[in-house]
Amino acid sequence: MRAGHRIRPFRRYRGVVAAGLTALPALLALSTGTPASAATSADQKEAKQPVRYVQVSNTQTCNPDGLCTLTATCPSGTVVTGGGVSETPLISSGVYLMESEPSGNRTWRGTLRNASQFPVTVTVTAICVRLPGV
């Protein structure tokens, strides 16, 4: 050993070594874990069928000074999850939406008041989803 050179004791680095040893079990736990897809059983995969949506519409002409109620009905094996009403051409005044709501498990209902001087085309749309297992 050279003169004037001093060897530092190991205890000075003890904090760094201890931190590394503390993190080691966490790293080993990550490396030996099973992937999420392997943890899912076959029964769970069969129960989770892909969601299948269908959109159903019904269109009708609503005459001037008329009140029009339309429904859109979901196909068998599906339930209504949402819907809406639209009209064309878009008239800025004199056409009023009275209701837009589900009416039962499979039907969406919309009512429009056409107080304008022009006929409008009204479309009621239902958004349906397939029931599980069907």
Side-chain angles (χ1 to χ4, degrees):
M1 189 181 328
R2 286 189 277 164
H5 188 284
R6 189 169 165 220
I7 299 174
R8 294 183 182 173
F10 179 73
R11 63 185 152 100
R12 192 172 177 134
Y13 301 103
R14 217 181 338 195
V16 175
V17 173
L21 292 176
T22 305
L24 187 61
L27 290 173
L28 289 174
L30 288 175
S31 66
T32 60
T34 58
S37 61
T40 305
S41 72
D43 292 335
Q44 289 173 338
K45 287 182 184 178
E46 287 178 20
K48 293 182 182 180
Q49 296 177 356
V51 177
R52 302 198 188 241
Y53 295 95
V54 64
Q55 183 173 314
V56 181
S57 297
N58 183 12
T59 302
Q60 166 184 323
T61 299
C62 190
N63 293 320
D65 199 28
L67 184 68
C68 302
T69 299
L70 286 85
T71 58
T73 303
C74 295
S76 180
T78 63
V79 293
V80 67
T81 59
V85 179
S86 65
E87 52 101 1
T88 55
L90 182 61
I91 299 174
S92 61
S93 64
V95 179
Y96 306 100
L97 178 64
M98 304 301 287
E99 70 176 348
S100 179
E101 62 188 6
S103 61
N105 291 334
R106 293 181 40 217
T107 306
W108 193 269
R109 178 178 54 216
T111 301
L112 196 79
R113 169 82 170 108
N114 183 5
S116 76
Q117 301 174 21
F118 309 99
V120 294
T121 302
V122 181
T123 302
V124 173
T125 303
I127 301 168
C128 315
V129 65
R130 185 168 308 286
L131 292 171
V134 177

